Amino acid sequence: MKREVWSSRFGEWFRDVLLNAGILDYRYPIKGFGVWMPYGFEIRRNILQVMRNLLDATGHKEVLFPTLIPEDLLAKEAEHVKSFEEECYWVTHGGSKRLRVRYALRPTSETAIMPMVKLWVRSHADLPIKLYQIVSVFRYETKATRPILRMREVASFKEAHTIHATFEEADAQVREAVKIYRRFFDELCVPYLISKRPDWDKFAGAEYTIAFDMICPDGRTLQIGTAHNLGQNFSKAFGVLYETEDGRREYAWTTSYGISGRAVAAPLIVHGDDHGLVLPPKLAPIQVVVIPIPYKGFEERVEEAAKSVASKLREAGIRTELDLREDLTPGSKFYYWELRGVPLRVEVGPRDVERGEVTLVRRDTLERQACPVESVVDSVKGLIEKLTEEMRERAWRWMREHVRRVESLEEAKRLLEQRFGVVEAPWCGEEECGHRMEELLDARILGTPIDMEEEFQGRCIVCGKAANQVVRVAITY
Amino acid sequence: MKREVWSSRFGEWFRDVLLNAGILDYRYPIKGFGVWMPYGFEIRRNILQVMRNLLDATGHKEVLFPTLIPEDLLAKEAEHVKSFEEECYWVTHGGSKRLRVRYALRPTSETAIMPMVKLWVRSHADLPIKLYQIVSVFRYETKATRPILRMREVASFKEAHTIHATFEEADAQVREAVKIYRRFFDELCVPYLISKRPDWDKFAGAEYTIAFDMICPDGRTLQIGTAHNLGQNFSKAFGVLYETEDGRREYAWTTSYGISGRAVAAPLIVHGDDHGLVLPPKLAPIQVVVIPIPYKGFEERVEEAAKSVASKLREAGIRTELDLREDLTPGSKFYYWELRGVPLRVEVGPRDVERGEVTLVRRDTLERQACPVESVVDSVKGLIEKLTEEMRERAWRWMREHVRRVESLEEAKRLLEQRFGVVEAPWCGEEECGHRMEELLDARILGTPIDMEEEFQGRCIVCGKAANQVVRVAITY
């Protein structure tokens, strides 16, 4: 439950826990490429299922586009290619034959999807189209790579792409995307800030970009989701026209929104502690581990009781592991499953058996409580709900404590240097002041809050002019 | 129900149905790369779920390895690289920078997995390891590409890789793989032949290869699954050693087995007819479509009845679509859903309503039957089971009719020229006779049956020597 290593040596903590808990092995012989191990893959599967459920329920259709994009397609949208060409991996040969056109490993799929959409869209009746896919994307990053946080192969990129008849519909779609992502991160118990990125930091080819950021234990922020209104930029570049009700031909309006493998990292980062992972029960491959505490003369009775509890829990649909390994002491088993973040432990010892009880131990608080065997299923169900709620609240509280309104450059600078988290600074709205602020603070502007209700009046911390908005500023990953 | 186009112009039939039913759009601007469309993706999802269930239930763990393999790793197993290097797509640049080592887009993942397994395996207690992943693999095929059947990006490759302490265990694992694949294709209602590939056609780096083949309506066979005992070839190339119980260091034994996107094609091919697809209910995204047949003055009553039937079916867990589109006639709706292979249609017309009935129409036979509204759920459930069974039996019967034992080269040649299917020819077992047979018949040897019980005595159709086995020969895709 201590969170010293977690916060003070976060980078190290994260790298170690990924390998030791069997999430991601980062020793693959290409830098920035990792191996999703069985336990990590199961967490990833559960998380992606949450996403699929949300998207399927809102009329999105899952599809699968090719991994490769010919260079001439990628180049069709000018801003887009400018931003991505230096980050692409390029396929130049098939066997020993040089290819006529180079292929990029997709960095994102707008330019793969648009030429097909052009074939699919005839009239307004074909719209809207709402597609998504979950695929690997590739970025030849020049920045230092980090396991999951900055990979060169992002192995769980969920990208959605939608096509609409009007700007308003595209705009409403971006709002729907934000709503879906809110629910998604709520289910993951991950708190977030939602900001409209400044113009100079929007997605290449977008009208505007809305982004979700979280705060890591080291005070740096991590972008965990983005939604873009792409206007008619891509439809014009690719000639995606549709016939309106009154027979005119118009360019379509498109959006895209994505969530990367970082969505898998986010709950691990937010809830972890010095013992290892703490998984929200919904994502946990194993929700409850049952561990018998044998004692001379009681071995059989204890084991029988543990088995019976485990099968009761399984029958109730709770993902339960019964740890009967003979070569490990109960203490080593505690350590093993705490590291892996199993939300609840059920201990069955000789005294428990005598009393007709078991002992329940929460992973998040390490609190213990006795529970009569008859009501173990109800107690476990109740605790799962309770600890999910408490994990979510605790994480939100922690995040809110790491966001602070500032009045001056000095205050902002001091907080950012302390790696406090996110500062919200009054800003006049001028791009020049924005750049200057980033420079003076040696930090990045996340953008203007779109999750803030109250009106604001203040003075820009750079130029001192009246400011009716704040910008969020942080040291980012 | 007619199967003339299906069999006589199979290639065309298949290409058309893939696009028109919304399975795969093959017009992506790279040859051999396709787009899985929403309906096709859902079928694929259902099929992969069958596979995941079978593998998870037999202790396989799902993982995800990188898409790229450095050239020096790929080259470690000599046979392997010889077979694949001319078929690999090569990544040579990151941005504008030339990479020090070229990366192959994985053609298969043995050489990505072995270096990691080397890190994971210490002692016999770590074995066996049974992994699988479902990923895109890439082959720069020189043969003519065909939608799904021969792609350059195989977008749904399920590859399993296992590591064992002894040859016997690896051997038993290959048998388990064959058992799993049998069940898999049984659930898909796809009939198969299981053969041990001749030595000259085994997987590069394998001791032996067992393969599943199906017969297409044009008499050509399609390889739909393979399982390989890799002996110690890969563990020696990659130095995968483990410590035995008595403390010696030994090379591990490995296997791999795979099923490609062709598994998605297989049920479409086997059951199709001139109206389009016929999906086994288990794989069908929509199992039942309810279509109201409006009649003047009865519109509302018919629609109400249709809605009520649809919601009854949905409540019973049957994937049901209610087609209320107003711009289509009932006839066009029939056509639309028949093309897409929906197993059962429920028609609700004015006469049905009067009688308290609905009309059920089977997609496979187009047979109609009346059914009282009260028992519609039971009738539909019963029919789904019945037609699944009958589809499976019909397909097996059709396949068996297209396999024939021959006694002479002439007979074999005649049948193969007629595109009859598979011939089983007595073979002495000499490689030379095998090659000669392939040459004379202008066909390929699939191998010796491992799904045949009876003993055999005959004379090799090439050299006339005594033969105690047959080989299967076919024109292959």
Short mmCIF file of all heavy atoms in Angstrom, two decimals, chain A residues 342-390:
data_model
loop_
_atom_site.label_atom_id
_atom_site.label_comp_id
_atom_site.label_asym_id
_atom_site.label_seq_id
_atom_site.Cartn_x
_atom_site.Cartn_y
_atom_site.Cartn_z
N VAL A 342 -4.25 -8.78 -8.17
CA VAL A 342 -5.55 -9.43 -7.98
C VAL A 342 -6.33 -8.67 -6.88
O VAL A 342 -5.84 -8.53 -5.77
CB VAL A 342 -5.37 -10.91 -7.59
CG1 VAL A 342 -6.70 -11.56 -7.27
CG2 VAL A 342 -4.66 -11.65 -8.72
N PRO A 343 -7.52 -8.18 -7.19
CA PRO A 343 -8.23 -7.25 -6.30
C PRO A 343 -8.56 -7.79 -4.92
O PRO A 343 -8.56 -7.06 -3.95
CB PRO A 343 -9.52 -6.93 -7.06
CG PRO A 343 -9.27 -7.28 -8.48
CD PRO A 343 -8.22 -8.34 -8.49
N LEU A 344 -8.84 -9.10 -4.82
CA LEU A 344 -9.25 -9.67 -3.53
C LEU A 344 -8.55 -11.00 -3.27
O LEU A 344 -8.44 -11.82 -4.17
CB LEU A 344 -10.76 -9.91 -3.50
CG LEU A 344 -11.67 -8.79 -3.03
CD1 LEU A 344 -13.11 -9.29 -3.07
CD2 LEU A 344 -11.31 -8.38 -1.59
N ARG A 345 -8.13 -11.17 -2.03
CA ARG A 345 -7.55 -12.45 -1.63
C ARG A 345 -8.47 -13.08 -0.58
O ARG A 345 -8.94 -12.38 0.32
CB ARG A 345 -6.17 -12.20 -1.04
CG ARG A 345 -5.47 -13.41 -0.51
CD ARG A 345 -4.01 -13.09 -0.24
NE ARG A 345 -3.79 -12.49 1.06
CZ ARG A 345 -2.98 -11.46 1.28
NH1 ARG A 345 -2.34 -10.87 0.28
NH2 ARG A 345 -2.82 -10.99 2.49
N VAL A 346 -8.71 -14.35 -0.72
CA VAL A 346 -9.46 -15.08 0.31
C VAL A 346 -8.49 -16.04 0.98
O VAL A 346 -7.95 -16.93 0.32
CB VAL A 346 -10.65 -15.84 -0.31
CG1 VAL A 346 -11.40 -16.61 0.77
CG2 VAL A 346 -11.58 -14.90 -1.05
N GLU A 347 -8.25 -15.86 2.25
CA GLU A 347 -7.38 -16.77 2.98
C GLU A 347 -8.24 -17.75 3.76
O GLU A 347 -9.23 -17.37 4.39
CB GLU A 347 -6.51 -15.99 3.98
CG GLU A 347 -5.59 -14.97 3.33
CD GLU A 347 -4.80 -14.16 4.36
OE1 GLU A 347 -4.80 -14.54 5.55
OE2 GLU A 347 -4.19 -13.17 3.96
N VAL A 348 -7.85 -19.01 3.71
CA VAL A 348 -8.57 -20.03 4.47
C VAL A 348 -7.57 -20.74 5.37
O VAL A 348 -6.74 -21.53 4.90
CB VAL A 348 -9.25 -21.05 3.53
CG1 VAL A 348 -10.11 -22.01 4.34
CG2 VAL A 348 -10.08 -20.34 2.47
N GLY A 349 -7.60 -20.42 6.67
CA GLY A 349 -6.67 -21.03 7.62
C GLY A 349 -7.41 -21.95 8.58
O GLY A 349 -8.64 -22.02 8.54
N PRO A 350 -6.67 -22.65 9.44
CA PRO A 350 -7.31 -23.60 10.35
C PRO A 350 -8.31 -22.92 11.29
O PRO A 350 -9.39 -23.44 11.54
CB PRO A 350 -6.13 -24.18 11.16
CG PRO A 350 -4.90 -23.54 10.66
CD PRO A 350 -5.22 -22.59 9.57
N ARG A 351 -7.97 -21.71 11.76
CA ARG A 351 -8.89 -21.02 12.66
C ARG A 351 -10.16 -20.62 11.91
O ARG A 351 -11.27 -20.74 12.43
CB ARG A 351 -8.21 -19.79 13.26
CG ARG A 351 -9.03 -19.15 14.34
CD ARG A 351 -8.23 -18.17 15.17
NE ARG A 351 -7.07 -18.78 15.81
CZ ARG A 351 -6.13 -18.09 16.46
NH1 ARG A 351 -6.21 -16.76 16.52
NH2 ARG A 351 -5.11 -18.71 17.02
N ASP A 352 -9.98 -20.16 10.67
CA ASP A 352 -11.15 -19.83 9.84
C ASP A 352 -12.07 -21.03 9.71
O ASP A 352 -13.28 -20.93 9.88
CB ASP A 352 -10.71 -19.40 8.43
CG ASP A 352 -9.90 -18.11 8.42
OD1 ASP A 352 -10.38 -17.11 8.98
OD2 ASP A 352 -8.79 -18.10 7.86
N VAL A 353 -11.45 -22.19 9.41
CA VAL A 353 -12.25 -23.39 9.20
C VAL A 353 -13.04 -23.72 10.46
O VAL A 353 -14.24 -24.01 10.41
CB VAL A 353 -11.34 -24.58 8.80
CG1 VAL A 353 -12.14 -25.88 8.77
CG2 VAL A 353 -10.71 -24.31 7.42
N GLU A 354 -12.36 -23.63 11.61
CA GLU A 354 -13.02 -23.92 12.88
C GLU A 354 -14.25 -23.05 13.11
O GLU A 354 -15.29 -23.50 13.57
CB GLU A 354 -12.05 -23.67 14.04
CG GLU A 354 -11.63 -24.94 14.74
CD GLU A 354 -10.47 -24.64 15.67
OE1 GLU A 354 -10.59 -23.69 16.47
OE2 GLU A 354 -9.45 -25.34 15.57
N ARG A 355 -14.08 -21.77 12.74
CA ARG A 355 -15.16 -20.81 12.98
C ARG A 355 -16.18 -20.75 11.86
O ARG A 355 -17.12 -19.96 11.91
CB ARG A 355 -14.56 -19.40 13.09
CG ARG A 355 -13.73 -19.18 14.32
CD ARG A 355 -13.24 -17.74 14.31
NE ARG A 355 -12.41 -17.46 15.47
CZ ARG A 355 -11.51 -16.49 15.51
NH1 ARG A 355 -11.33 -15.72 14.46
NH2 ARG A 355 -10.79 -16.30 16.60
N GLY A 356 -15.94 -21.53 10.78
CA GLY A 356 -16.83 -21.45 9.61
C GLY A 356 -16.69 -20.12 8.90
O GLY A 356 -17.66 -19.58 8.37
N GLU A 357 -15.45 -19.60 8.90
CA GLU A 357 -15.22 -18.30 8.27
C GLU A 357 -14.12 -18.38 7.22
O GLU A 357 -13.44 -19.40 7.08
CB GLU A 357 -14.76 -17.29 9.33
CG GLU A 357 -15.84 -16.91 10.31
CD GLU A 357 -15.34 -15.87 11.32
OE1 GLU A 357 -14.11 -15.61 11.36
OE2 GLU A 357 -16.17 -15.33 12.05
N VAL A 358 -13.95 -17.28 6.50
CA VAL A 358 -12.74 -17.07 5.69
C VAL A 358 -12.29 -15.64 5.98
O VAL A 358 -13.05 -14.85 6.56
CB VAL A 358 -12.99 -17.22 4.17
CG1 VAL A 358 -13.42 -18.64 3.81
CG2 VAL A 358 -14.04 -16.22 3.69
N THR A 359 -11.05 -15.31 5.54
CA THR A 359 -10.57 -13.95 5.71
C THR A 359 -10.44 -13.30 4.33
O THR A 359 -9.82 -13.88 3.43
CB THR A 359 -9.20 -13.94 6.42
OG1 THR A 359 -9.36 -14.60 7.68
CG2 THR A 359 -8.71 -12.51 6.63
N LEU A 360 -11.06 -12.13 4.17
CA LEU A 360 -10.98 -11.41 2.89
C LEU A 360 -9.97 -10.28 3.04
O LEU A 360 -9.98 -9.55 4.03
CB LEU A 360 -12.33 -10.81 2.52
CG LEU A 360 -13.53 -11.78 2.47
CD1 LEU A 360 -14.80 -11.04 2.07
CD2 LEU A 360 -13.25 -12.90 1.48
N VAL A 361 -9.08 -10.16 2.05
CA VAL A 361 -8.07 -9.10 2.08
C VAL A 361 -8.16 -8.29 0.79
O VAL A 361 -8.04 -8.85 -0.30
CB VAL A 361 -6.65 -9.68 2.24
CG1 VAL A 361 -5.63 -8.55 2.44
CG2 VAL A 361 -6.59 -10.68 3.37
N ARG A 362 -8.39 -6.99 0.94
CA ARG A 362 -8.44 -6.10 -0.23
C ARG A 362 -7.04 -5.79 -0.71
O ARG A 362 -6.18 -5.45 0.08
CB ARG A 362 -9.12 -4.77 0.14
CG ARG A 362 -10.61 -4.83 0.26
CD ARG A 362 -11.14 -3.55 0.85
NE ARG A 362 -10.88 -2.40 -0.02
CZ ARG A 362 -11.64 -1.29 -0.02
NH1 ARG A 362 -12.69 -1.21 0.78
NH2 ARG A 362 -11.33 -0.29 -0.81
N ARG A 363 -6.84 -5.85 -2.00
CA ARG A 363 -5.52 -5.52 -2.55
C ARG A 363 -5.24 -4.02 -2.44
O ARG A 363 -4.11 -3.61 -2.18
CB ARG A 363 -5.45 -5.96 -4.02
CG ARG A 363 -4.21 -5.50 -4.79
CD ARG A 363 -2.94 -6.09 -4.20
NE ARG A 363 -1.74 -5.57 -4.83
CZ ARG A 363 -1.10 -4.47 -4.46
NH1 ARG A 363 -1.57 -3.76 -3.45
NH2 ARG A 363 -0.01 -4.07 -5.09
N ASP A 364 -6.28 -3.18 -2.63
CA ASP A 364 -6.02 -1.74 -2.70
C ASP A 364 -5.61 -1.15 -1.34
O ASP A 364 -4.71 -0.34 -1.25
CB ASP A 364 -7.21 -0.99 -3.31
CG ASP A 364 -8.48 -1.12 -2.48
OD1 ASP A 364 -8.64 -2.14 -1.78
OD2 ASP A 364 -9.32 -0.21 -2.55
N THR A 365 -6.28 -1.60 -0.26
CA THR A 365 -5.97 -1.04 1.06
C THR A 365 -5.23 -2.04 1.95
O THR A 365 -4.76 -1.67 3.02
CB THR A 365 -7.28 -0.67 1.79
OG1 THR A 365 -8.08 -1.87 1.89
CG2 THR A 365 -8.05 0.39 1.04
N LEU A 366 -5.18 -3.29 1.51
CA LEU A 366 -4.63 -4.40 2.30
C LEU A 366 -5.41 -4.64 3.60
O LEU A 366 -4.93 -5.31 4.50
CB LEU A 366 -3.13 -4.20 2.57
CG LEU A 366 -2.24 -4.10 1.32
CD1 LEU A 366 -0.77 -3.89 1.72
CD2 LEU A 366 -2.36 -5.35 0.45
N GLU A 367 -6.61 -4.07 3.69
CA GLU A 367 -7.47 -4.31 4.85
C GLU A 367 -7.98 -5.74 4.87
O GLU A 367 -8.30 -6.31 3.83
CB GLU A 367 -8.68 -3.37 4.81
CG GLU A 367 -8.38 -1.95 5.26
CD GLU A 367 -9.50 -0.99 4.87
OE1 GLU A 367 -10.50 -1.45 4.28
OE2 GLU A 367 -9.34 0.21 5.14
N ARG A 368 -8.09 -6.29 6.09
CA ARG A 368 -8.58 -7.67 6.25
C ARG A 368 -9.93 -7.65 6.93
O ARG A 368 -10.20 -6.80 7.77
CB ARG A 368 -7.62 -8.46 7.14
CG ARG A 368 -6.17 -8.40 6.72
CD ARG A 368 -5.26 -8.94 7.81
NE ARG A 368 -5.54 -10.33 8.07
CZ ARG A 368 -5.04 -11.34 7.37
NH1 ARG A 368 -4.18 -11.09 6.39
NH2 ARG A 368 -5.36 -12.59 7.65
N GLN A 369 -10.77 -8.61 6.60
CA GLN A 369 -12.00 -8.76 7.36
C GLN A 369 -12.44 -10.21 7.33
O GLN A 369 -12.24 -10.91 6.34
CB GLN A 369 -13.10 -7.83 6.81
CG GLN A 369 -13.56 -8.17 5.40
CD GLN A 369 -14.61 -7.18 4.91
OE1 GLN A 369 -14.32 -6.05 4.55
NE2 GLN A 369 -15.86 -7.63 4.88
N ALA A 370 -13.04 -10.63 8.44
CA ALA A 370 -13.55 -11.99 8.48
C ALA A 370 -14.93 -12.03 7.82
O ALA A 370 -15.62 -11.01 7.76
CB ALA A 370 -13.65 -12.47 9.92
N CYS A 371 -15.29 -13.21 7.32
CA CYS A 371 -16.58 -13.33 6.63
C CYS A 371 -17.06 -14.76 6.77
O CYS A 371 -16.29 -15.71 6.55
CB CYS A 371 -16.35 -12.95 5.16
SG CYS A 371 -17.56 -13.62 4.03
N PRO A 372 -18.31 -14.97 7.20
CA PRO A 372 -18.83 -16.33 7.32
C PRO A 372 -18.85 -17.02 5.94
O PRO A 372 -19.14 -16.37 4.94
CB PRO A 372 -20.27 -16.14 7.82
CG PRO A 372 -20.36 -14.70 8.26
CD PRO A 372 -19.32 -13.95 7.53
N VAL A 373 -18.50 -18.30 5.93
CA VAL A 373 -18.44 -19.04 4.65
C VAL A 373 -19.76 -18.96 3.90
O VAL A 373 -19.78 -18.82 2.67
CB VAL A 373 -18.06 -20.51 4.91
CG1 VAL A 373 -18.25 -21.34 3.65
CG2 VAL A 373 -16.62 -20.61 5.39
N GLU A 374 -20.89 -19.01 4.62
CA GLU A 374 -22.18 -19.03 3.93
C GLU A 374 -22.40 -17.79 3.06
O GLU A 374 -23.05 -17.86 2.02
CB GLU A 374 -23.38 -19.10 4.90
CG GLU A 374 -23.30 -20.16 5.95
CD GLU A 374 -22.60 -19.58 7.17
OE1 GLU A 374 -23.15 -18.70 7.83
OE2 GLU A 374 -21.45 -20.02 7.41
N SER A 375 -21.84 -16.66 3.51
CA SER A 375 -22.15 -15.44 2.78
C SER A 375 -20.97 -14.95 1.95
O SER A 375 -20.89 -13.78 1.57
CB SER A 375 -22.59 -14.35 3.76
OG SER A 375 -21.55 -14.12 4.68
N VAL A 376 -20.02 -15.88 1.64
CA VAL A 376 -18.80 -15.43 0.98
C VAL A 376 -19.08 -14.82 -0.40
O VAL A 376 -18.48 -13.81 -0.78
CB VAL A 376 -17.74 -16.58 0.92
CG1 VAL A 376 -18.18 -17.69 -0.01
CG2 VAL A 376 -16.40 -16.02 0.50
N VAL A 377 -20.01 -15.41 -1.15
CA VAL A 377 -20.29 -14.88 -2.49
C VAL A 377 -20.82 -13.46 -2.42
O VAL A 377 -20.33 -12.56 -3.10
CB VAL A 377 -21.28 -15.80 -3.26
CG1 VAL A 377 -21.78 -15.11 -4.52
CG2 VAL A 377 -20.62 -17.12 -3.60
N ASP A 378 -21.79 -13.24 -1.53
CA ASP A 378 -22.34 -11.89 -1.40
C ASP A 378 -21.30 -10.90 -0.91
O ASP A 378 -21.21 -9.77 -1.41
CB ASP A 378 -23.52 -11.88 -0.42
CG ASP A 378 -24.75 -12.54 -1.05
OD1 ASP A 378 -24.77 -12.66 -2.29
OD2 ASP A 378 -25.65 -12.95 -0.30
N SER A 379 -20.49 -11.33 0.06
CA SER A 379 -19.47 -10.42 0.59
C SER A 379 -18.47 -10.04 -0.49
O SER A 379 -18.09 -8.88 -0.62
CB SER A 379 -18.72 -11.07 1.75
OG SER A 379 -19.60 -11.32 2.80
N VAL A 380 -18.05 -11.04 -1.25
CA VAL A 380 -17.06 -10.77 -2.31
C VAL A 380 -17.67 -9.83 -3.35
O VAL A 380 -17.05 -8.85 -3.77
CB VAL A 380 -16.58 -12.09 -2.96
CG1 VAL A 380 -15.90 -11.83 -4.29
CG2 VAL A 380 -15.61 -12.80 -2.00
N LYS A 381 -18.90 -10.12 -3.76
CA LYS A 381 -19.55 -9.24 -4.73
C LYS A 381 -19.66 -7.82 -4.22
O LYS A 381 -19.38 -6.86 -4.93
CB LYS A 381 -20.94 -9.77 -5.08
CG LYS A 381 -20.91 -10.91 -6.07
CD LYS A 381 -22.32 -11.23 -6.58
CE LYS A 381 -22.27 -12.32 -7.63
NZ LYS A 381 -23.61 -12.83 -7.96
N GLY A 382 -20.06 -7.70 -2.95
CA GLY A 382 -20.19 -6.38 -2.36
C GLY A 382 -18.85 -5.65 -2.30
O GLY A 382 -18.75 -4.48 -2.65
N LEU A 383 -17.82 -6.40 -1.91
CA LEU A 383 -16.49 -5.79 -1.79
C LEU A 383 -15.97 -5.35 -3.16
O LEU A 383 -15.34 -4.31 -3.30
CB LEU A 383 -15.51 -6.77 -1.16
CG LEU A 383 -15.24 -6.60 0.33
CD1 LEU A 383 -14.21 -7.61 0.78
CD2 LEU A 383 -14.74 -5.17 0.63
N ILE A 384 -16.23 -6.18 -4.18
CA ILE A 384 -15.77 -5.84 -5.54
C ILE A 384 -16.38 -4.51 -5.96
O ILE A 384 -15.69 -3.64 -6.50
CB ILE A 384 -16.13 -6.98 -6.53
CG1 ILE A 384 -15.14 -8.12 -6.37
CG2 ILE A 384 -16.16 -6.47 -7.97
CD1 ILE A 384 -15.37 -9.30 -7.29
N GLU A 385 -17.65 -4.35 -5.68
CA GLU A 385 -18.31 -3.10 -6.04
C GLU A 385 -17.73 -1.94 -5.25
O GLU A 385 -17.41 -0.89 -5.78
CB GLU A 385 -19.80 -3.21 -5.77
CG GLU A 385 -20.66 -2.82 -6.95
CD GLU A 385 -22.09 -3.20 -6.70
OE1 GLU A 385 -22.45 -4.36 -7.01
OE2 GLU A 385 -22.84 -2.35 -6.16
N LYS A 386 -17.61 -2.18 -3.94
CA LYS A 386 -17.15 -1.12 -3.04
C LYS A 386 -15.73 -0.69 -3.39
O LYS A 386 -15.43 0.50 -3.48
CB LYS A 386 -17.20 -1.65 -1.60
CG LYS A 386 -16.87 -0.64 -0.52
CD LYS A 386 -17.43 -1.11 0.83
CE LYS A 386 -17.09 -0.15 1.94
NZ LYS A 386 -15.86 -0.50 2.68
N LEU A 387 -14.86 -1.66 -3.61
CA LEU A 387 -13.46 -1.25 -3.84
C LEU A 387 -13.30 -0.62 -5.21
O LEU A 387 -12.46 0.27 -5.40
CB LEU A 387 -12.47 -2.38 -3.55
CG LEU A 387 -12.31 -3.59 -4.44
CD1 LEU A 387 -11.34 -3.31 -5.58
CD2 LEU A 387 -11.72 -4.74 -3.61
N THR A 388 -14.12 -1.04 -6.18
CA THR A 388 -14.08 -0.38 -7.49
C THR A 388 -14.41 1.10 -7.31
O THR A 388 -13.69 1.98 -7.81
CB THR A 388 -15.12 -1.01 -8.45
OG1 THR A 388 -14.79 -2.39 -8.63
CG2 THR A 388 -15.12 -0.31 -9.80
N GLU A 389 -15.49 1.35 -6.59
CA GLU A 389 -15.93 2.73 -6.37
C GLU A 389 -14.86 3.52 -5.63
O GLU A 389 -14.53 4.65 -6.00
CB GLU A 389 -17.24 2.70 -5.57
CG GLU A 389 -18.13 3.90 -5.78
CD GLU A 389 -18.15 4.34 -7.24
OE1 GLU A 389 -18.57 3.57 -8.12
OE2 GLU A 389 -17.69 5.47 -7.48
N GLU A 390 -14.28 2.91 -4.62
CA GLU A 390 -13.28 3.63 -3.83
C GLU A 390 -11.99 3.86 -4.60
O GLU A 390 -11.33 4.89 -4.45
CB GLU A 390 -13.02 2.88 -2.51
CG GLU A 390 -14.21 3.00 -1.58
CD GLU A 390 -14.02 2.27 -0.25
OE1 GLU A 390 -12.86 1.90 0.08
OE2 GLU A 390 -15.02 2.05 0.45
#
